Structure formats: C-alpha cells, structure tokens
Amino acid sequence: MKIAIMGAMYEEITPLLEFFKTYETIEYANNRYYKASYQGLELIIAYSKIGKVNASLTASTLIEKFGAEKLLFSGVAGALNPALKVGDLVVATRLAQHDVDISAFGHPFGYIPEGCVYVQTDETLVHIAHRVAKAQGLKLVEGIIATGDQFICDSTKKEWIRSTFQADATEMEGASVAVVCDALHVPFCVFRAISDAADMDAGFSFDEFLVSSAQESAKLILAMLDELKR
Ligand code: ADE
C-alpha cells in the first residue's frame, strides 16, 4: 500500500525522515518529495510550505502523481479549546475553513456552494489512531479543526473561530487537504500536536514548541504505520 505522510513545515516531517534514514528525493513543482519504504509499505513524504494553496497542491500531487492511497497529515496547531495544552495530541474528526466568508449571501461562515462547511476525516483511520495511541500510552483527543491562511494570535479572533465552528484547534492547512482527499476519494486523517494557545503569546510559544510538538505528532504517525502495515 502507498501511504502519503504530509506536513506543512520542514520541522513537521524531519522526525520522519530521520527515522527512515534512507529515502529517494524527487523534485517536482517547486517542492521535494521523499520516497521511503517501511516494512512493506511504500511511503511518500512531503512538506507543503504553509497555507491552504500550498497544501492543496502538495496533497493533489501526492495522490495524482505519486499514487497515494491514504494520506496522514502530521503537524502542530494552536489550541482553541482551553482544555488543550502544549504537546497534547488532537486527531481531527472534521475540518472547516474559517476564512471562507460569503455570509453576505446568507450562507454560514466556511460554506462553499456545492460543498459543505465541514469535511469529515476517515473513521477507520481515526479508530486505528485511538487504538495505537492507547497502546503507546499517548493521550489523543478527537476534535474539530478550523483552518485558515492566518496565524491566529489574538484572543478575540480565537474565540470567534471557536464559537463559530465549535473548533478545538486551528492551523493553516488541514481543511484544504481534507477537500482534496475527499474529492479524490482518498481516506485521510489529520494529526496535530498543540504548539500554542492562539493568543497574544502564540508566536513565542510556537517558536519554542514547534520542534517538540511536531515530534509528538510524528511519533503517533510512526505508530500508525506499524498498524497499517498489517
Ligand atoms: N499552527 C500552530 N499554531 C497556529 C496558530 N496559532 N494559528 C494558525 N496556525 C497555527
């Protein structure tokens, strides 16, 4: 089986590349794709660069050019739910684009005509993630992720996203990857470890915890592969 593992930033896929050690690097569309194999699984790994447009391009490429049959996203997020703290792991059940706004026409925030506000992740992958996390002694919580082309570092904006989308965490790629995978019928899952609280201190917290939180998320992805190879 061919599995894509995707991050947005180099730091988010580094723990995986360090783990696999040997991989082939392929340059395509201003980006690098890393091919590795792991216990019978064919892996294709990439970071997209930040934002929804880059993430859509990379997810589409992973599927259409490299033939990914499942896609796992690994990275960090800002917490919207006050119960989530730095380092906590979230698996998305559904994702929405918080910066889509055609409310002028009476539509809910996040709504795109002929689409819907939320895209659901693959239930089987979420189920496997819980089993794997339990076996590894990792705490994993399910949540709604709100995605937009903004680093959220403001309490008012944070509260608006939380209350409008009932979202638990915010980041800048997940929902666009979800749209691509849903349209191309590729089962997918988005894992995020919390790096900050999306408040006025978010920038400092992100810089401090990007690497360690990205490692937490990657740890779960690696454990998922052990389960998926069965
Ligand atoms: N990724 C990690 N923290 C974030 C935040 N506060 N806003 C958007 N994306 C993020």
Side-chain angles (χ1 to χ4, degrees):
M1 190 191 323
K2 218 176 234 194
I3 298 182
I5 308 174
M6 182 177 162
M9 300 175 70
Y10 182 63
E11 290 83 349
E12 291 172 328
I13 65 158
T14 303
L16 299 162
L17 295 180
E18 283 175 353
F19 178 83
F20 296 120
K21 289 189 186 74
T22 51
Y23 44 82
E24 181 191 349
T25 304
I26 298 153
E27 305 242 350
Y28 182 77
N30 286 342
N31 207 354
R32 280 183 294 279
Y33 292 81
Y34 306 95
K35 271 187 176 179
S37 58
Y38 179 64
Q39 309 210 1
L41 293 173
E42 286 181 75
L43 305 176
I44 179 82
I45 305 164
Y47 75 95
S48 56
K49 303 183 280 260
I50 62 167
K52 294 193 294 176
V53 174
N54 283 323
S56 304
L57 172 63
T58 299
S60 304
T61 303
L62 286 164
I63 295 166
E64 290 290 311
K65 180 173 169 61
F66 292 101
E69 296 163 278
K70 291 189 196 304
L71 188 149
L72 308 177
F73 191 104
S74 181
V76 302
L80 302 176
N81 181 337
L84 290 172
K85 305 295 175 212
V86 166
D88 286 354
L89 278 168
V90 180
V91 58
T93 49
R94 50 198 175 121
L95 302 98
Q97 298 181 61
H98 68 69
D99 54 356
V100 167
D101 179 1
I102 52 164
S103 58
F105 300 95
H107 294 297
F109 292 106
Y111 175 77
I112 293 179
E114 297 180 52
C116 30
V117 174
Y118 297 96
V119 179
Q120 289 198 334
T121 53
D122 183 70
E123 271 181 25
T124 307
L125 287 174
V126 172
H127 187 74
I128 292 172
H130 281 299
R131 204 165 62 223
V132 163
K134 196 169 174 204
Q136 296 278 316
L138 298 169
K139 189 180 145 223
L140 176 68
V141 298
E142 284 186 5
I144 295 174
I145 288 183
T147 302
D149 282 325
Q150 295 157 7
F151 183 83
I152 305 301
C153 52
D154 174 85
S155 296
T156 307
K157 180 85 192 178
K158 168 182 170 168
E159 288 314 321
W160 181 84
I161 298 171
R162 172 144 178 82
S163 58
T164 306
F165 296 95
Q166 292 79 53
D168 298 287
T170 187
E171 36 82 310
M172 301 178 69
E173 298 81 21
S176 59
V177 173
V179 169
V180 169
C181 291
D182 184 58
L184 296 173
H185 306 296
V186 169
F188 74 99
C189 210
V190 176
F191 299 96
R192 295 281 187 173
I194 299 301
S195 57
D196 58 85
D199 55 10
M200 62 186 284
D201 298 323
F204 301 107
S205 182
F206 179 87
D207 281 345
E208 188 174 349
F209 296 109
L210 167 63
V211 169
S212 58
S213 292
Q215 277 165 350
E216 286 304 304
S217 181
K219 214 187 284 176
L220 185 62
I221 295 277
L222 289 170
M224 284 282 289
L225 294 181
D226 284 326
E227 188 72 21
L228 290 171
K229 74 174 192 253
R230 280 177 228 275

